[in-house]
Amino acid sequence: MKVLLYLASNSPFYQNLYPSIKKGFEEAGCEVHGDANLLAKKELIEKIKLFKPDFVFEMNRVKSEIENFPKGVIHICWLVDFWGRVHDELKGSDILYVWADEWVKHFQKIGMKEVYHLPPATDKTIYKPLKLKKRYDFIFLGHISKNWTDEELSRKIGFKDKKIVYFKDLLPYAKKYVTAKNNNVSFLDSLADENIILNNSIDKTIIYDISNRTYRQIRREYFIDVFTKTSDNIVIYGSENWKLYDAYSLYYKGYISKADEINRVICESNILLHDGNYPHFRTFDAMASGVVVAAAQPPDNFDNPWRKLGFKDGEDYINVDIYSKKIDIKLFKDKNLLKKISQNAKEKVLKEHLWVHRAQRVLKDVSDLLKRNKDVKRQL
């Protein structure tokens, strides 16, 4: 099959990721053109006319957002980030893949049928064990936002009991939500339970700040604090915003843009810390590199995403109960256990979680779609 593949941006992260995903499709037998960055809509239409792909695979953009998308070409969106949009705005693609299995049911509630979970994967030619001395007990890789400015905090976002609600008023509710062991609705939906009514006119930036940035910032601090209270042998790599936080500036070592350098710093540590509710690119990268992943326990209302992918706590990764705010540091010092876990995880990732495995899944879903919908004609 011929595939047009576009990711989310020209950032170093996606520039590193693009060739790995492209190679995965090529290993699955596809001819692939594309880029790390989404094309402008008119340029994409021209590229489709010239290349005549069987399907277009884009990250975060749905077909309804592309005017005059050609008939006879399947459009696939892999939704990794909502970018401030809501579910109803993310329709139209022939197949919608979502970052988290938990998201599937939310799209099904609004009538979408071709929506599936597609987790990330890794590239074994980049992420692999290196014979390096272990310098750190724990490594954290990732971004953190800047602290909120006075202007951001003073934004009017809604009402509570006829009183104006400013953005700063949401932060206590956000912390309560993030640190709760069980949540039955999204944070946005939970505001109604607090009698907070959001303005209809608030823009996507504010929606993103409420539903993504706030959540990530609070949860990331909450998770890392669990470990800084028990160990000072921690290293953090990511954006320079870490320098703005007194609690973490001591651990911050800089920003790394090259994939082989990321692999090196992973291999210099015993354990990669992951605060997210779901497996991430970096978790599979670490596992392929022979490094143990310690992942934050998701809320009780989540089906454990690790378990659904076949990973077992204490055998393939370490589940961290962040809600108790206590960890057994002896567990993370047990070299024999860490060695066993790292070996198990590496074997599982190499067998089931490389980019070629994800490409094969996509190709199967495309084939099944064509069989179910005989009116969908491939443009060969």
Side-chain angles (χ1 to χ4, degrees), residues 195-371:
N195 202 27
I196 295 175
I197 308 301
L198 297 179
N199 295 331
N200 292 327
S201 60
I202 58 176
D203 60 26
K204 293 184 185 299
T205 298
I206 295 178
I207 291 292
Y208 181 85
D209 286 350
I210 294 172
S211 58
N212 292 79
R213 183 178 164 190
T214 301
Y215 188 97
R216 181 188 295 116
Q217 183 180 23
I218 293 173
R219 184 177 172 88
R220 197 147 284 186
E221 290 183 78
Y222 184 76
F223 178 69
I224 294 177
D225 286 348
V226 173
F227 289 89
T228 56
K229 290 176 181 178
T230 56
S231 174
D232 59 3
N233 194 17
I234 298 174
V235 62
I236 296 174
Y237 288 94
S239 66
E240 291 194 353
N241 293 343
W242 288 103
K243 292 181 179 180
L244 305 176
Y245 292 77
D246 293 338
Y248 311 119
S249 59
L250 177 67
Y251 308 109
Y252 178 68
K253 299 299 180 182
Y255 176 78
I256 300 176
S257 60
K258 295 182 179 179
D260 58 344
E261 282 296 297
I262 294 173
N263 183 60
R264 180 184 61 79
V265 298
I266 288 175
C267 289
E268 289 179 339
S269 302
N270 285 311
I271 300 166
L272 179 126
L273 301 177
H274 175 56
D275 66 305
N277 285 328
Y278 317 98
H280 192 276
F281 300 99
R282 58 179 168 261
T283 59
F284 291 124
D285 296 342
M287 288 175 166
S289 300
V291 171
V292 173
V293 169
Q297 180 176 317
D300 282 351
N301 60 302
F302 279 44
D303 287 335
N304 189 305
W306 290 97
R307 189 183 303 120
K308 294 191 78 169
L309 290 175
F311 291 90
K312 295 181 180 180
D313 175 27
E315 294 184 20
D316 306 308
Y317 78 107
I318 297 174
N319 181 67
V320 182
D321 182 1
I322 59 173
Y323 305 104
S324 68
K325 281 203 164 185
K326 295 180 181 179
I327 60 171
D328 182 1
I329 197 65
K330 293 179 182 178
L331 179 70
F332 298 96
K333 298 284 187 179
D334 188 333
K335 292 183 179 181
N336 290 330
L337 177 62
L338 296 182
K339 183 178 180 180
K340 181 180 178 181
I341 291 174
S342 66
Q343 290 175 340
N344 289 344
K346 182 187 172 188
E347 290 175 7
K348 190 174 290 291
V349 165
L350 296 183
K351 184 178 179 181
E352 302 175 11
H353 300 286
L354 301 177
W355 287 115
V356 65
H357 299 132
R358 301 295 182 259
Q360 289 167 344
R361 162 69 192 279
V362 171
L363 295 178
K364 181 182 183 303
D365 288 343
V366 168
S367 177
D368 291 345
L369 176 69
L370 291 168
K371 290 176 183 177

Side-chain angles (χ1 to χ4, degrees), residues 87-301:
H87 293 86
D88 282 333
E89 296 177 277
L90 294 163
K91 296 180 178 180
S93 293
D94 300 289
I95 297 176
L96 177 68
Y97 290 114
V98 292
W99 171 260
D101 185 64
E102 193 71 16
W103 297 359
V104 173
K105 62 186 180 184
H106 296 296
F107 282 101
Q108 289 176 337
K109 285 181 180 178
I110 61 172
M112 295 184 65
K113 295 181 180 179
E114 302 291 344
V115 53
Y116 310 103
H117 176 217
L118 188 72
T122 190
D123 185 338
K124 68 178 181 179
T125 65
I126 298 173
Y127 296 98
K128 53 192 175 183
L130 300 176
K131 294 182 179 180
L132 298 174
K133 181 180 178 180
K134 297 292 186 181
R135 300 173 59 193
Y136 305 102
D137 290 335
F138 303 103
I139 182 172
F140 186 90
L141 297 173
H143 167 73
I144 195 166
S145 302
K146 293 180 179 179
N147 284 306
W148 303 105
T149 65
D150 290 340
E151 182 179 356
E152 289 171 326
L153 292 172
S154 62
R155 290 175 291 183
K156 298 177 182 178
I157 62 164
F159 295 88
K160 178 180 173 68
D161 301 328
K162 297 184 179 181
K163 294 182 179 179
I164 294 175
V165 173
Y166 298 92
F167 187 84
K168 64 181 179 181
D169 299 323
L170 283 188
L171 299 184
Y173 295 108
K175 186 170 184 178
K176 175 184 174 182
Y177 180 90
V178 172
T179 57
K181 196 171 184 178
N182 192 9
N183 291 304
N184 295 318
V185 295
S186 69
F187 178 50
L188 274 175
D189 291 337
S190 74
L191 295 177
D193 295 333
E194 303 289 352
N195 202 27
I196 295 175
I197 308 301
L198 297 179
N199 295 331
N200 292 327
S201 60
I202 58 176
D203 60 26
K204 293 184 185 299
T205 298
I206 295 178
I207 291 292
Y208 181 85
D209 286 350
I210 294 172
S211 58
N212 292 79
R213 183 178 164 190
T214 301
Y215 188 97
R216 181 188 295 116
Q217 183 180 23
I218 293 173
R219 184 177 172 88
R220 197 147 284 186
E221 290 183 78
Y222 184 76
F223 178 69
I224 294 177
D225 286 348
V226 173
F227 289 89
T228 56
K229 290 176 181 178
T230 56
S231 174
D232 59 3
N233 194 17
I234 298 174
V235 62
I236 296 174
Y237 288 94
S239 66
E240 291 194 353
N241 293 343
W242 288 103
K243 292 181 179 180
L244 305 176
Y245 292 77
D246 293 338
Y248 311 119
S249 59
L250 177 67
Y251 308 109
Y252 178 68
K253 299 299 180 182
Y255 176 78
I256 300 176
S257 60
K258 295 182 179 179
D260 58 344
E261 282 296 297
I262 294 173
N263 183 60
R264 180 184 61 79
V265 298
I266 288 175
C267 289
E268 289 179 339
S269 302
N270 285 311
I271 300 166
L272 179 126
L273 301 177
H274 175 56
D275 66 305
N277 285 328
Y278 317 98
H280 192 276
F281 300 99
R282 58 179 168 261
T283 59
F284 291 124
D285 296 342
M287 288 175 166
S289 300
V291 171
V292 173
V293 169
Q297 180 176 317
D300 282 351
N301 60 302

Side-chain angles (χ1 to χ4, degrees), residues 53-66:
D54 293 289
F55 63 88
V56 176
F57 187 103
E58 293 190 298
M59 184 178 283
N60 294 339
R61 184 163 66 182
V62 293
K63 187 164 72 172
S64 61
E65 295 174 313
I66 308 168

